[in-house]
Amino acid sequence: MTRVWQAAPVVSLVALAATWGRDIGIVVVVLVAVLLAAAVLAAVHHAEVVAHRVGEPFGSLVLAVSVTVIEVSLIVTLMLSGGDEAATLARDTVFAAVMITVNGIMGLSLLLGARRFTFVHFNAEGTGGALATVAALAALTLVLPTFTTGEPGPEFTGGQLAFAAVASLSLYAAFVVTQTVRHRDFFLPVTKEGEPLAEDEHADPPTDREAVTSLVLLLLSLVAVVGLAKVESPAIESGVLAAGLPLSFVGVVIALLVLLPETIAAANAARRERIQTSLNLAMGSAMASIGLTIPTLAVASIWVPTPLHLGLGPTQIVLLGITTIAAVLTVVPGRATRLQGTVHLTLLAAFLYFSMAP
């Protein structure tokens, strides 16, 4: 099986090179979808190898940052080729990432963990700090543009966008320092008594060589995931339009594909009673999606002619507000049941439904 995970990224990249920028038929679309799924599973495998080697919270940080860097590249590429129709692409993708991570990944992890262990336990201090950072980032970059008056429409002025970029990067950097240096223990898996949970004793950590190999294959897998998702996007767009759905839903579909490796990794951690690892993935991904995307887009906007509409609409702002309140109430006790998981998954379902039927 190890050879399969090593071969999948290479085969997927070969397929990406063969199909990039070309019109493909239905048979090739299906083959690309199969290879996309293989690349996703390979990314999960190699991310878990790296995470096992470096330990928490560095392991979850590796996957979150890797996915986000490539996601940013995809957004910029689509904006360059999409014209004015891509003005809301960044907003739709980032908002979808926040809703999928905070409601989808967190809700699924809580539900899976609670079904097996009745209660799931995590460090409320670390998770609460991460949630506060996500809420601040989302409000500064996705809500404020709707209400500012410097530019017509949900758009920042140049100075406002520069401030939002600096603020986003500063908040993200502060969180990373807190998570990995200052208060690393806040982000480690805990027992029912709140003590740090020992690492799995049945599996020896991989060697340095194995970890480096998996890190390289992880990055290749993520490139393949995003690239093949881009190749599939015309077929997805045609399917979305044929179904009578708004064009903005394409961004939601692509966000779902890009975040699939983190979703599977978080679900696997939840089944092993490592709920803190799952929450690190969820919050870290939401935070990186904003904290790295907005500064990059601020720089890219210097030469990208496409308008950058970041402000959310009324329905999206309501969903973000409800999600924030529900997440705070979930995180504060430091433990959760299936109910909290069900609440967050219901909010994800509401987001998906109103994205399809605004």
Side-chain angles (χ1 to χ4, degrees):
M1 184 61 70
T2 300
R3 292 182 178 179
V4 173
W5 299 138
Q6 292 176 343
V10 178
V11 175
S12 299
L13 287 174
V14 171
L16 175 60
T19 56
W20 185 264
R22 301 181 182 179
D23 294 329
I24 56 178
I26 183 64
V27 175
V28 179
V29 167
V30 173
L31 291 175
V32 169
V34 172
L35 290 174
L36 176 59
V40 167
L41 295 176
V44 173
H45 169 77
H46 293 300
E48 290 181 340
V49 172
V50 174
H52 192 191
R53 183 67 184 91
V54 302
E56 283 299 314
F58 298 98
S60 57
L61 188 63
V62 168
L63 183 57
V65 173
S66 300
V67 168
T68 304
V69 168
I70 300 174
E71 178 186 338
V72 169
S73 302
L74 179 59
I75 291 174
V76 174
T77 300
L78 292 176
M79 287 184 67
L80 285 170
S81 61
D84 290 347
E85 293 183 358
T88 63
L89 176 65
R91 179 199 71 185
D92 295 334
T93 305
V94 171
F95 181 62
V98 172
M99 298 300 287
I100 292 167
T101 51
V102 177
N103 284 322
I105 296 180
M106 184 165 76
L108 179 63
S109 300
L110 295 177
L111 185 62
L112 290 175
R115 285 190 63 184
R116 183 171 182 181
F117 304 106
T118 307
F119 286 95
V120 292
H121 298 265
F122 49 88
N123 193 316
E125 292 176 299
T127 309
L131 176 60
T133 309
V134 171
L137 285 169
L140 285 172
T141 60
L142 300 177
V143 177
L144 276 182
T146 302
F147 300 99
T148 55
T149 58
E151 290 283 351
E155 188 176 352
F156 275 143
T157 65
Q160 291 169 343
L161 182 59
F163 171 80
V166 173
S168 298
L169 199 57
S170 299
L171 283 172
Y172 184 70
F175 172 77
V176 170
V177 171
T178 300
Q179 184 186 37
T180 59
V181 180
R182 296 291 184 182
H183 299 286
R184 182 173 176 269
D185 54 316
F186 285 1
F187 301 91
L188 299 177
V190 295
T191 63
K192 296 178 181 179
E193 292 75 27
E195 298 297 325
L197 197 62
E199 294 294 329
D200 295 329
E201 297 179 356
H202 64 275
D204 294 327
T207 63
D208 289 342
R209 181 178 179 180
E210 291 172 335
V212 171
T213 300
S214 285
L215 179 60
V216 172
L217 291 173
L218 167 62
L219 296 176
L220 294 179
S221 298
L222 293 173
V223 171
V225 168
V226 177
L228 292 178
K230 174 66 170 64
V231 170
E232 289 281 283
S233 61
I236 295 171
E237 181 176 336
S238 299
V240 166
L241 294 177
L245 300 176
L247 191 59
S248 60
F249 194 73
V250 174
V252 177
V253 175
I254 292 177
L256 286 168
L257 290 172
V258 171
L259 289 169
L260 190 55
E262 291 167 303
T263 303
I264 298 175
N268 290 339
R271 293 190 186 97
R272 299 195 304 269
E273 203 174 4
R274 298 301 198 263
I275 296 298
Q276 186 64 55
T277 299
S278 301
L279 297 183
N280 289 347
L281 279 167
M283 297 299 173
S285 299
M287 203 177 309
S289 183
I290 305 174
L292 297 179
T293 300
I294 300 303
T296 303
L297 292 177
V299 174
S301 65
I302 297 173
W303 71 85
V304 175
T306 305
L308 187 59
H309 293 171
L310 292 176
L312 297 174
T315 302
Q316 295 167 317
I317 291 175
V318 170
L319 286 171
L320 180 61
I322 296 174
T323 294
T324 302
I325 294 171
V328 169
L329 295 176
T330 296
V331 166
V332 166
R335 68 175 189 171
T337 66
R338 283 180 285 187
L339 174 60
Q340 285 89 342
T342 303
V343 168
H344 285 285
L345 289 176
T346 301
L347 288 173
L348 175 66
F351 161 69
L352 294 175
Y353 176 78
F354 286 108
S355 295
M356 293 185 289

